[in-house]
Amino acid sequence: MKIVILYFSNTGSTKSMATTFQKHLESANHTVTLHDGFAILKQYMAAGEKEVTPLLSKYHDSLRDADVVGIGSYVSYGTIADGAAKLLTEQATPTALFASMKFYFSFSSFGSFPLNTTSFLATYLHQRNADAKYLGSIAQHDPENYLPLLPPRGSIDGVRDSALKKVDDFGKDLVSRLNGGALPPMHKMLEKTPRPANMKPGTSSGTIKIDSEKCIKCYKCVTVCPYNALAKPEEGAAVKIPVWDADMCYGCGRCFNYCPVRAIEFPKVKTEEKEQYYWGRQDKNLKINKPPSRVAVISRVLPIKKVVIPLALVACVGLFFVTRKK
């Protein structure tokens, strides 16, 4: 069978899920084509969302004769990635392209809550072709990616083995179900498909700043930004750091996640908290703080001096009266 997988990834996790499914499906002699949704979106938005760009055209060509379609996205503000819905419109991807789809599935990665992301994507595919059969959905629990809620350094620096195993098992299930195995119960059908809000700077992350001393002018941030909010400086410009366009930015933090030297700053997010999180990358110069012990956690809630010492005094007084009675 010909299988098409579209993914929107902010840290590489959703892409990793897609490649896991690809590995299992190709081992069963299926043909799998992966499409980077943000790469498509970058071209599409640069064209003013008015024309079928080369990457979007390739995606369309894949869909025309696809037997199976899977779509995955990380969870952003309770739904799919900001801007991703632009590729799910009738204008960008006509329903007619899904005519040959016989099966479909959805997947997502999430930080705090999975919410309805997989159901949203599955509902979208069902609405494109109601005769297609549902193969299932899976959501992978990742470290929190929302900048103001980044986890403490050393506590969750990567995807847990149990989560990776579930994704791997789901890939095996896809093969089994395509080979005639039992299909899962129907997904939750969303009557109203929520659209992600166009988050703009000032809502949570603040105006982006690039540290000119740290920046190595690799322009990785320019490459990975889906919304063309970052650009290389004009030739001959005195300042060589990337140029940021506030009107184009969605504040997704993708530039921060992929900057190799952490030169990206979001003033509304405390630097100290930001520095505690680096998506599990190996940084020999970064001192890793061990997670606090249970005693330390309890002491924060119940200060030792204010609680334990008074309790000890009460115990001593009680013991004194007991011994006197004897």
Side-chain angles (χ1 to χ4, degrees), residues 172-206:
K172 296 175 183 176
D173 289 340
L174 288 177
V175 174
S176 174
R177 290 162 185 170
L178 287 174
N179 289 337
L183 297 176
M186 193 62 175
H187 58 87
K188 177 183 177 182
M189 200 70 69
L190 299 182
E191 293 182 4
K192 293 183 179 181
T193 52
R195 299 296 184 188
N198 292 341
M199 302 304 295
K200 295 295 181 182
T203 55
S204 60
S205 303

Side-chain angles (χ1 to χ4, degrees), residues 37 49 95 113 116 124 146 153 163 183 202 294 303 305 309 316:
E49 305 169 39
T95 298
F113 306 102
N116 289 323
Y124 166 79
Y146 179 49
R153 180 194 307 158
L183 297 176
R294 292 181 181 178
K305 292 182 179 179
I309 294 178
C316 289

Side-chain angles (χ1 to χ4, degrees), residues 252-304:
C252 68
R254 203 166 191 248
C255 55
F256 169 75
N257 289 329
Y258 284 90
C259 177
V261 292
R262 282 170 291 175
I264 306 292
E265 292 292 335
F266 288 88
K268 280 198 173 184
V269 182
K270 293 181 180 179
T271 302
E272 181 181 355
E273 295 176 0
K274 262 206 332 271
E275 289 293 326
Q276 291 180 351
Y277 178 77
Y278 203 45
W279 192 247
R281 302 177 189 178
Q282 296 300 317
D283 187 346
K284 296 180 180 178
N285 298 319
L286 189 65
K287 182 180 178 182
I288 301 298
N289 294 332
K290 294 182 179 180
S293 64
R294 292 181 181 178
V295 174
V297 172
I298 294 173
S299 67
R300 290 179 186 173
V301 181
L302 302 174
I304 298 295

Side-chain angles (χ1 to χ4, degrees), residues 15-32:
K15 177 181 180 180
S16 178
M17 296 176 74
T19 55
T20 297
F21 306 148
Q22 180 184 31
K23 177 189 70 175
H24 288 293
L25 292 166
E26 287 185 341
S27 68
N29 297 320
H30 296 295
T31 302
V32 182

Side-chain angles (χ1 to χ4, degrees), residues 193-258:
T193 52
R195 299 296 184 188
N198 292 341
M199 302 304 295
K200 295 295 181 182
T203 55
S204 60
S205 303
T207 301
I208 187 176
K209 288 185 179 180
I210 301 175
D211 191 324
S212 59
E213 293 185 1
K214 288 184 180 179
C215 180
I216 59 175
K217 288 77 178 177
C218 66
Y219 304 116
K220 180 70 174 177
C221 57
V222 175
T223 303
V224 301
C225 177
Y227 316 111
N228 302 293
L230 288 159
K232 292 181 181 180
E234 293 183 4
E235 189 174 348
V239 180
K240 301 297 182 182
I241 63 174
V243 179
W244 179 66
D245 185 343
D247 293 331
M248 298 295 291
C249 181
Y250 281 63
C252 68
R254 203 166 191 248
C255 55
F256 169 75
N257 289 329
Y258 284 90

Side-chain angles (χ1 to χ4, degrees), residues 305-322:
K305 292 182 179 179
K306 293 182 179 180
V307 178
V308 176
I309 294 178
L311 288 176
L313 289 175
V314 171
C316 289
V317 172
L319 181 63
F320 171 76
F321 284 111
V322 170

